[in-house]
């Protein structure tokens, strides 16, 4: 009996599929839920210590945790992706609101860097730092909420519940 030689089709591994656990439109909605707080904060539309500020800061993140815990098979990955999107929104809003926020008193480099570059160069550097800080903040928010969602999901499964995104 002869054995057929392996073909590319039989020896080829299946393509690596990296999934975020939730569809892109759902992730976009989660990011959009958190965006109003950034605008309200940057434009100082509400007092920082008001209850509305607390609601705008916490309710969207609670929704993130619940959505990921209930519907994502990979809640930590889903919310890390949402956090990355949130970081991009933070960066965009901070840079778009720059002139309004700083008006006639833009931030400047200090210490040994004070006056080392032109104001335009300083602004470019500071805006770049703002982008990096915003992306980092978004990723940390995503990681923390993702860990919470993973814990909520694990606790629900341990208590005998079944969550929609569960694989078993």
């Amino acid at each position: 009996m002869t054995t057929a030689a392996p073909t590319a089709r039989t020896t080829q591994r299946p393509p690596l599929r990296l999934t975020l656990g939730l569809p892109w439109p759902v992730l976009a909605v989660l990011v959009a839920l958190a965006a109003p707080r950034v605008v309200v904060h940057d434009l100082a539309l509400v007092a920082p210590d008001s209850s509305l500020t607390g609601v705008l800061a916490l309710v969207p993140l609670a929704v993130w945790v619940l959505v990921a815990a209930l519907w994502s098979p990979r809640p930590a990955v889903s919310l890390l992706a949402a956090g990355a999107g949130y970081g991009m929104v933070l960066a965009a809003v901070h840079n778009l609101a720059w002139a309004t926020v700083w008006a006639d008193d833009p931030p400047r480099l200090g210490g040994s860097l004070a006056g080392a570059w032109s104001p335009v160069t300083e602004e470019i550097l500071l805006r770049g730092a703002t982008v990096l800080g915003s992306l980092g903040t978004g990723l940390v928010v995503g990681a923390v909420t993702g860990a919470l969602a993973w814990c909520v999901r694990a606790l629900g499964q341990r208590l005998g519940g079944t969550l929609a995104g569960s694989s078993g």
Side-chain angles (χ1 to χ4, degrees), residues 26-150:
V26 173
L27 292 171
V29 167
L30 293 178
V31 171
L33 284 174
R37 189 218 59 88
V38 182
V39 175
V40 166
H41 175 266
D42 277 11
L43 299 180
L45 300 175
V46 177
D49 58 350
S50 74
S51 58
L52 180 57
T53 300
V55 167
L56 289 173
L58 297 176
V59 169
L61 300 181
V63 171
W64 283 23
V65 170
L66 289 174
V67 167
L70 293 173
W71 290 295
S72 176
R74 303 175 72 194
V77 173
S78 296
L79 293 186
L80 193 59
Y86 178 60
M88 289 185 254
V89 168
L90 278 172
V93 171
H94 288 339
N95 276 288
L96 290 171
W98 190 275
T100 303
V101 169
W102 299 112
D104 296 327
D105 190 25
R108 295 282 175 230
L109 295 173
S112 63
L113 295 177
W117 289 299
S118 71
V120 170
T121 303
E122 283 189 17
E123 183 175 332
I124 291 168
L125 290 171
L126 292 170
R127 284 178 180 252
T130 298
V131 168
L132 292 176
S134 297
L135 293 174
T137 298
L139 289 171
V140 168
V141 167
V144 170
T145 56
L148 286 171
W150 183 86

Side-chain angles (χ1 to χ4, degrees), residues 65 69 75-76 144-158 163:
V65 170
V144 170
T145 56
L148 286 171
W150 183 86
C151 289
V152 166
R153 179 188 181 82
L155 182 63
Q157 289 174 338
R158 178 168 278 222
L163 300 176

